Amino acid sequence: METLVSLISTLASGEALAALRRARMTAVLYGLAGVFALCGIGFLIGAAYIWLAERYGSLATSLGFGVGFLVLAGLILVIHKLTAGTQARRRARRRKADMTAVGVTAALALLPALAKSKGGMGALLAPAVALVAYAIYRENAKPGPQDKDPGAKP
């Protein structure tokens, strides 16, 4: 049995090592491709500058490129601000759902032990009653549409 476990672990670690090598090589190749792409974009921007400088003059072309790049930077920042809030809310919802799932799982895991204990049903019913009471309190504590009328007198 030990030989089989040793063989399986060797195979698994060899596969993991091969996958790691492939991932490293892919990352290096993508990095090189990115560097060459940035160089190509830089040369294209330089060629556009030279072409426009011949047509409109170097000062006007420099001002145009400067304003254009500042506008692009501003757009990127605005888009980032808009999407960051949405992503933060999405992460908060996911975290809340995960914590709820962990709580339910823990409660279900403890349920048999609590049912067998001396407190038994009292230990199970007290938190349930408290939860229902809190839900009723929250429902009644919410301001209704009649409470939001600014012209109404108290």
Side-chain angles (χ1 to χ4, degrees):
M1 184 70 176
E2 288 180 35
T3 316
L4 181 62
V5 171
S6 175
L7 180 62
I8 290 173
S9 66
T10 303
L11 178 64
S13 65
E15 286 296 319
L17 188 60
L20 184 63
R21 283 185 190 138
R22 285 191 305 269
R24 191 178 322 139
M25 180 59 79
T26 302
V28 167
L29 291 177
Y30 275 117
L32 282 173
V35 167
F36 287 133
L38 287 175
C39 288
I41 289 170
F43 276 106
L44 288 174
I45 290 172
Y49 177 83
I50 291 170
W51 179 63
L52 290 173
E54 288 177 357
R55 281 188 103 167
Y56 301 109
S58 59
L59 180 63
T61 303
S62 293
L63 289 173
F65 268 68
V67 168
F69 282 121
L70 288 175
V71 167
L72 284 174
L75 283 173
I76 289 171
L77 290 177
V78 166
I79 291 170
H80 172 68
K81 281 281 192 186
L82 292 175
T83 59
T86 304
Q87 290 174 353
R89 285 189 294 276
R90 188 178 301 139
R91 278 192 305 270
R93 276 195 309 265
R94 190 177 313 128
R95 191 174 329 134
K96 184 178 177 184
D98 289 347
M99 292 307 288
T100 301
V102 167
V104 168
T105 303
L108 289 176
L110 290 176
L111 193 62
L114 287 176
K116 292 178 184 177
S117 69
K118 280 189 178 181
M121 293 309 282
L124 294 175
L125 290 179
V129 169
L131 186 63
V132 169
Y134 180 68
I136 292 171
Y137 167 76
R138 284 194 53 187
E139 182 65 32
N140 292 329
K142 290 181 183 175
Q146 69 276 8
D147 295 339
K148 294 182 180 178
D149 186 13
K153 297 191 180 204

